[in-house]
Amino acid sequence: QMHKDALEKYESTNLLFEFGAGKSLVQNLYLSNWVKKQIVVDLYPMIDFKLCDYAREKLSKINKLRSKVRIKNLKDLENFGIYYIAPYNATKIHLPDKSIDACVSTNTLEHIPKVNIIEIFSELYRKIKDDGIVSLLIDYSDHYAHTDNNISLLNYLRFTSYQWKRYNHKFHYQNRLRHYEYINIFEKIGFKVINEDLVYAENNIPTIISDSFKNVSPTWRATSAHIILKKAI
């Protein structure tokens, strides 16, 4: 809904690009009622057609979708204006420069190393239209806290870089970047922030963590955010 509202507000509904689309494409199926064409990609093939069709069925009971076709393969997705490509490296987008109206990303960036985020957004800057937008949902919380109530949402910040490198499993990689660090990356590339909604869902922060961030922006405490970017022309 956040992406949909942003796409409508800034009239960016012609060509959408998304990296890190996931298994069910429920978000893309929902947005298909407003977006003409979506190119959605994953670094590795993730799509599950049974989950896609389940999502289609559930969504159709809430809103009438642009197609009633059951989803069994990639061709069926095209009836919804969705073109799924994987494997696909978003650091090299195959579209012409200044051709994308909008890029969206949902709970994906926190799983990408900083160096690759810089590469992706440098490429996006070239590919997105001058009046296009980037709508981002980023989860800044320790994902292990999602299934372990005994640890806080910021628990992983207690570890040194050396320690976290040992714990940070490659199949569940978390970069631990804080909100202000993302903003610095985007602005250095040439984007400007036109909207940012931050969520602070963790109040019990140990001193060992808070002391290590006392000289930086207080946004380090954010546990998630919705950010909208435009080119700073």
Side-chain angles (χ1 to χ4, degrees), residues 126-153:
R126 291 188 290 270
K127 300 301 180 179
I128 204 151
K129 292 180 178 179
D130 289 342
D131 60 349
I133 67 164
V134 181
S135 179
L136 307 169
L137 292 168
I138 310 175
D139 186 345
Y140 302 137
S141 70
D142 183 339
H143 286 26
Y144 290 112
H146 298 182
T147 52
D148 186 349
N149 294 329
N150 294 315
I151 61 176
S152 75
L153 293 174

Side-chain angles (χ1 to χ4, degrees), residues 107-121:
N107 298 343
T108 296
L109 282 177
E110 65 267 23
H111 300 295
I112 301 176
K114 180 179 179 179
V115 62
N116 299 125
I117 292 174
I118 293 172
E119 291 175 335
I120 291 171
F121 278 80

Side-chain angles (χ1 to χ4, degrees), residues 151-154 199-205 221 223:
I151 61 176
S152 75
L153 293 174
L154 299 177
V199 175
Y200 296 88
E202 182 58 75
N203 296 318
N204 300 315
I205 303 174
R221 295 176 55 252
T223 50

